[in-house]
Amino acid sequence: MPDTNDRDIAVLGAGMHQWGKWGRNFVEYGLVAARAALADAGVDHRDVGYIAGADTIRNGYPGFVSGATFAQALGWSGARISSSYAACASGAQAIANARAQILAGLTDVALVVGADAAPKGFFQPVGGERRDDPDWLRFHLLGATNPIYFALYARRRMALHGATLDDFAAVKVKNAKHGLNNPYARYRKEVSAEEVAASAVVSDPLRLLDICATSDGGAALVLTSMEYARRHGIADPVRVRALSTVTPTFPKTVLDLPDFATDSAVAVEPPPRTFRSAIAHAAYEEAGIGPADLSFAEVYDLSTALELDWYEDIGLCETGGAEDLLRSGATTLGGRVPVNPSGGLSCFGEAIPAQAIAQICELTWQLRGRAEGRQVDDALAGIAVNQGLFGHGSAIIATR
Amino acid sequence: MAEWFTAEDGAVRLVGSRCDTCGTPYFPRNTLACRNPQCASPKDGSELAEYLFSTRGRIWSYADARYKPPPPYVSSDPFEPYVVAAVELEVEQMVILGQVVRGFTVDDLAVGMPVELALGVLYEDEEAEHTVWMWRPVDA
Ligand SMILES: [Zn+2]
């Protein structure tokens, strides 16, 4: 693979607040993560030229303006800021903003922070009677919670590709094992296939242990120009090689949250790639590497079954090949291309604006060879992918 | 949400809109502008006319809800699980979600099964019985 390109930026610092149900304000989680990332980078926060916050809309006004909220908590320093909301891709949008500032030469050092304090149970739409909001309407008219959509994808895999409940359980067993030694994970406990099967059905065919929980948590990164990293004495930092936030292409023929319907394919043939695979494809193009170059991947396992969809979307195997890939052990630590060595959402749960940032923390630790207890052998390149509401998603490729 | 469907003389139809220029149908109704980026219509909404969808399709996938969802869903008391199906319409070449009429469970359904549009009671309150479109399995 090519060594470098002129769009690389360095990841100098990564930090997290442990995921869980801590019952505290999201600002605290973000502050802990930011201080950890700054300490990891050896950068004083007054030297940060740009602060990018990932917004959390359920946390009211400070959550909507997270850039300023975290900047204030760190101590106003006169840095430029931004606040980004893009559902599960919020963190990636914040990273994208920071990267653009660095590549444009507007700043050398950027701090990216995301944190959340999520309520227990099903995610709910924004309150009030919102009859012009598709997210409100899908609950009101259909009772279509997020797990319903996850279960629709799961059933489709079963019908088309012969996925079984045992396959779904095997994803949970794998990710639970991966997360055992991750100090930032919320759940650090082995799970057996029997336990998955015995857990309550939430939305048939998915059980409670197939679906990721909601959580509190925070994550942060210190990103710099390659030149700054060298000046800072780090000749060969982990680098972000590509960052894709592409939208779907019309017609989008896969139903996504919170859609009532897909686009019609009457007038235009569906694009060659589905939305999720297009996100990853754009990142591969930008990085100049392909799926075969990956050492590992962090994918958005909102459900166990969805992890299998991602295997195909990021090109680890052909469409319909995910079950065989899983069963071969290739995606387990020690296998050819471990998936979710961090434990994934399965062990973390969703802390929405922090999630994409947390994925890059894991990429960084893996690529440094410092992911103790869950280290991917000889990790050279990793991809992190996610998808949120309304056509937002991201793919980020990092290498060392 | 009466404007999303009609039910006259027992004939239930989803009401959306369709672009006169490229033929793309939309559900729910789109009145802003045709969203097909290749379409040469004026894209000021004048190209969009009311459209009644075909009433039969095949199940793309299906799932049920075993736990009471949060508001604004109005749950029965006691809560009764319900089934949601994503249905492919051949004419419109698109997938539309709907609940499945009461009385069917996931055990009664299969991907590819033919269904037709029906009217169902979403919830009742003091004022009225609130109806919504639902999918009902039919013989092929
Ligand atoms: Zn058109």
Side-chain angles (χ1 to χ4, degrees):
Chain A
M1 82 183 87
D3 267 0
T4 186
N5 67 46
D6 56 11
R7 285 185 182 169
D8 288 355
I9 57 168
V11 185
L12 236 53
M16 274 199 215
H17 184 289
Q18 191 188 353
W19 260 234
K21 284 286 184 193
W22 304 104
R24 298 201 290 273
N25 191 293
F26 78 100
V27 184
E28 182 177 337
Y29 309 139
L31 184 62
V32 166
R35 290 221 176 281
L38 288 162
D40 184 39
V43 167
D44 187 295
H45 108 266
R46 289 165 299 185
D47 295 331
V48 170
Y50 189 80
I51 297 173
D55 293 349
T56 166
I57 63 168
R58 79 179 59 75
N59 281 300
Y61 187 64
F64 296 167
V65 290
S66 58
T69 302
F70 296 131
Q72 183 192 36
L74 283 160
W76 297 121
S77 63
R80 298 179 190 210
I81 60 166
S82 67
S83 298
S84 302
Y85 185 72
C88 294
S90 299
Q93 295 280 346
I95 295 170
N97 287 347
R99 176 183 183 238
Q101 293 277 327
I102 293 165
L103 292 180
L106 295 169
T107 191
D108 268 337
V109 189
L111 173 68
V112 182
V113 192
D116 205 355
K120 209 170 138 61
F122 293 115
F123 278 128
Q124 300 183 30
V126 175
E129 182 150 328
R130 302 165 57 81
R131 290 180 179 271
D132 58 353
D133 176 355
D135 196 44
W136 189 91
L137 287 165
R138 57 131 168 168
F139 281 86
H140 183 62
L141 288 178
L142 299 174
T145 58
N146 293 10
I148 291 259
Y149 286 83
F150 308 153
L152 290 171
Y153 306 145
R155 174 92 55 196
R156 184 81 180 159
R157 275 213 80 82
M158 296 172 82
L160 253 58
H161 305 312
T164 65
L165 297 182
D166 288 344
D167 291 326
F168 301 157
V171 173
K172 178 68 184 184
V173 171
K174 169 182 76 74
N175 288 349
K177 197 166 281 184
H178 287 180
L180 276 181
N181 292 307
N182 190 334
Y184 299 105
R186 173 178 176 186
Y187 301 104
R188 295 172 65 186
K189 187 175 156 294
E190 288 218 46
V191 176
S192 69
E194 292 71 30
E195 284 172 286
V196 179
S199 66
V201 176
V202 174
S203 182
D204 195 295
L206 296 179
R207 272 72 185 152
L208 195 60
L209 292 179
D210 285 303
I211 295 171
C212 94
T214 61
S215 288
D216 296 1
L221 294 166
V222 174
L223 304 173
T224 74
S225 64
M226 294 300 291
E227 212 272 318
Y228 179 95
R230 274 189 289 273
R231 257 191 289 139
H232 210 72
I234 300 167
D236 195 20
V238 169
R239 61 198 73 189
V240 171
R241 294 286 299 272
L243 194 164
S244 153
T245 56
V246 297
T247 64
T249 301
F250 183 89
K252 181 162 77 76
T253 56
V254 179
L255 201 66
D256 285 323
L257 284 73
D259 296 340
F260 280 83
T262 62
D263 290 334
S264 163
V266 162
V268 184
E269 283 281 301
R273 292 182 188 84
T274 60
F275 176 38
R276 279 195 299 267
S277 76
I279 295 169
H281 181 77
Y284 287 131
E285 291 270 287
E286 191 169 278
I289 73 173
D293 300 311
L294 293 178
S295 314
F296 67 102
E298 285 283 314
V299 308
Y300 217 56
D301 56 324
L302 292 166
S303 80
T304 51
L306 193 63
E307 177 170 313
L308 298 175
D309 287 345
W310 278 116
Y311 290 0
E312 298 166 9
D313 293 325
I314 66 173
L316 299 184
C317 60
E318 296 293 304
T319 300
E323 286 75 16
D324 281 347
L325 190 72
L326 171 76
R327 293 168 194 160
S328 77
T331 60
T332 305
L333 270 171
R336 177 170 65 78
V337 55
V339 175
N340 285 328
S342 71
L345 297 183
S346 169
C347 293
F348 275 73
E350 273 192 281
I352 291 175
Q355 206 67 52
I357 301 168
Q359 287 181 318
I360 308 313
C361 290
E362 180 67 12
L363 259 55
T364 303
W365 293 323
Q366 289 287 348
L367 293 166
R368 286 177 180 170
R370 298 275 172 77
E372 277 168 44
R374 62 184 192 285
Q375 180 65 47
V376 174
D377 295 336
D378 199 26
L380 294 171
I383 192 170
V385 284
N386 75 46
Q387 183 185 6
L389 296 179
F390 292 109
H392 273 304
S394 70
I396 299 178
I397 292 173
T399 64
R400 72 161 197 234
Chain B
M1 307 311 289
E3 67 273 25
W4 288 39
F5 61 96
T6 65
E8 283 172 24
D9 307 326
V12 187
R13 304 293 296 267
L14 291 173
V15 182
S17 50
R18 188 174 62 169
C19 174
D20 290 334
T21 305
C22 71
T24 297
Y26 295 97
F27 183 81
R29 187 196 310 253
N30 171 18
T31 56
L32 283 177
C34 179
R35 294 197 288 261
N36 170 7
Q38 299 177 35
C39 174
S41 66
K43 304 243 180 158
D44 58 6
S46 66
E47 70 277 15
L48 296 165
E50 185 170 291
Y51 175 76
L52 297 177
F53 280 78
S54 54
T55 57
R56 282 190 168 222
R58 289 183 179 276
I59 292 180
W60 182 86
S61 195
Y62 58 98
D64 66 4
R66 303 281 183 95
Y67 285 82
K68 190 172 163 172
Y73 188 76
V74 182
S75 292
S76 55
D77 188 21
F79 172 71
E80 283 174 39
Y82 53 93
V83 180
V84 171
V87 172
E88 266 182 305
L89 301 181
E90 194 180 349
V91 175
E92 289 82 6
Q93 293 187 46
M94 60 193 283
V95 172
I96 297 183
L97 277 183
Q99 288 196 357
V100 174
V101 295
R102 302 285 185 257
F104 288 90
T105 74
V106 287
D107 296 331
D108 303 316
L109 306 178
V111 168
M113 180 182 275
V115 293
E116 70 178 9
L117 210 61
L119 196 64
V121 176
L122 185 63
Y123 66 97
E124 289 174 62
D125 58 20
E126 299 80 45
E127 288 160 25
E129 216 174 45
H130 298 270
T131 56
V132 74
W133 78 90
M134 292 190 182
W135 296 110
R136 173 168 51 210
V138 289
D139 295 329

